[in-house]
């Protein structure tokens, strides 16, 4: 957590005072080609668990932080090439699993990935100006698994336990299966 805060502070120092700093970044480089960020929405919430008690009332027992969500509205005007560049840059990052930073003048939000994007153009609104809404969600990286000493079957080496020799069953057991026509105990 401390490393994330230091990284967020470093990024905000780099972008402080720059009006064009709004956007989605990876490694300090903007990944969405847009003229402007028209709007920014941020959502942070917590889930509170509860259970029923006597006489129809409820008791709360836990509060869990939910990953943040954010929405940015990008715009590109002018010629069709600029609008296509905006759509192409958003399409390029929307299908991957990379982590991005959402940079605003007030704060940098780390570890986001595109969850959805949408846009609409009509004859009366948006012919010369394309606006695209991009929704992102925080991706939380978890440390190593609980069973870190367990090896994957694909990386475990083969072990030779020595030659295997067949052993015949004792006479009383073999005689019991002889007349049943079955290999299972009890003639099943």
């Amino acid at each position: 957590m401390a490393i994330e805060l230091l990284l967020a502070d470093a990024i905000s120092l780099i972008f402080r005072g720059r009006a064009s700093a709004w956007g989605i970044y990876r490694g300090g480089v903007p990944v969405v080609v847009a003229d402007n960020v028209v709007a920014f929405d941020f959502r942070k919430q917590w889930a509170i668990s509860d259970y029923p008690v006597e006489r129809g009332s409820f008791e709360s027992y836990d509060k869990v932080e939910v990953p943040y969500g954010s929405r940015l509205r990008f715009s590109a005007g002018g010629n069709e090439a600029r609008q296509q560049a905006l759509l192409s840059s958003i399409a390029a990052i929307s299908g991957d699993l990379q982590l991005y930073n959402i940079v605003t003048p007030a704060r940098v939000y780390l570890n986001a990935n595109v969850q959805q994007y949408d846009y609409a153009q009509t004859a009366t609104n948006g012919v010369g100006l394309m606006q695209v809404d991009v929704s992102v969600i925080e991706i939380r990286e978890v440390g190593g698994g609980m069973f870190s000493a367990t090896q994957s079957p694909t990386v475990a080496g083969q072990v030779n336990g020595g030659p295997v020799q067949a052993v015949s069953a004792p006479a009383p057991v073999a005689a019991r299966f002889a007349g049943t026509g079955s290999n299972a105990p009890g003639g099943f």
Side-chain angles (χ1 to χ4, degrees):
M1 185 68 178
I3 293 173
E4 289 178 3
L5 293 174
L6 288 172
L7 181 61
D9 287 344
I11 292 172
S12 65
L13 286 174
I14 293 169
F15 296 115
R16 186 167 292 159
R18 289 176 47 192
S20 63
W22 290 81
I24 302 175
Y25 286 75
R26 176 158 173 80
V29 177
V31 293
V32 175
V33 179
D35 294 342
N36 297 302
V37 175
V38 178
F40 170 76
D41 296 323
F42 178 79
R43 176 183 62 259
K44 184 69 185 161
Q45 61 185 6
W46 290 260
I48 299 176
S49 301
D50 53 16
Y51 60 94
V53 291
E54 295 178 351
R55 296 185 196 110
S57 62
F58 288 86
E59 184 80 27
S60 297
Y61 63 91
D62 198 5
K63 183 176 182 177
V64 178
E65 183 178 17
V66 176
Y68 74 79
S70 179
R71 188 182 64 180
L72 295 99
R73 178 171 292 162
F74 294 97
S75 70
N79 61 24
E80 189 176 321
R82 289 168 71 173
Q83 295 176 6
Q84 285 301 320
L86 171 61
L87 283 177
S88 296
S89 65
I90 293 171
I93 66 168
S94 62
D96 68 17
L97 299 174
Q98 299 295 321
L99 297 179
Y100 299 97
N101 299 323
I102 309 305
V103 178
T104 68
R107 185 154 185 210
V108 176
Y109 301 95
L110 302 175
N111 299 335
N113 190 275
V114 175
Q115 187 175 30
Q116 141 186 355
Y117 75 94
D118 54 83
Y119 68 96
Q121 288 182 294
T122 63
T124 58
N125 186 16
V127 173
L129 178 68
M130 175 172 284
Q131 293 187 355
V132 182
D133 289 335
V134 179
S135 297
V136 299
I137 189 167
E138 177 186 21
I139 305 298
R140 295 186 177 165
E141 295 180 300
V142 179
M146 289 178 57
F147 304 105
S148 60
T150 304
Q151 285 188 336
S152 167
T154 58
V155 297
Q158 292 184 350
V159 176
N160 184 355
V164 177
Q165 297 178 5
V167 177
S168 59
V173 174
R176 191 171 68 194
F177 292 117
T180 64
S182 170
N183 291 331
F188 292 26

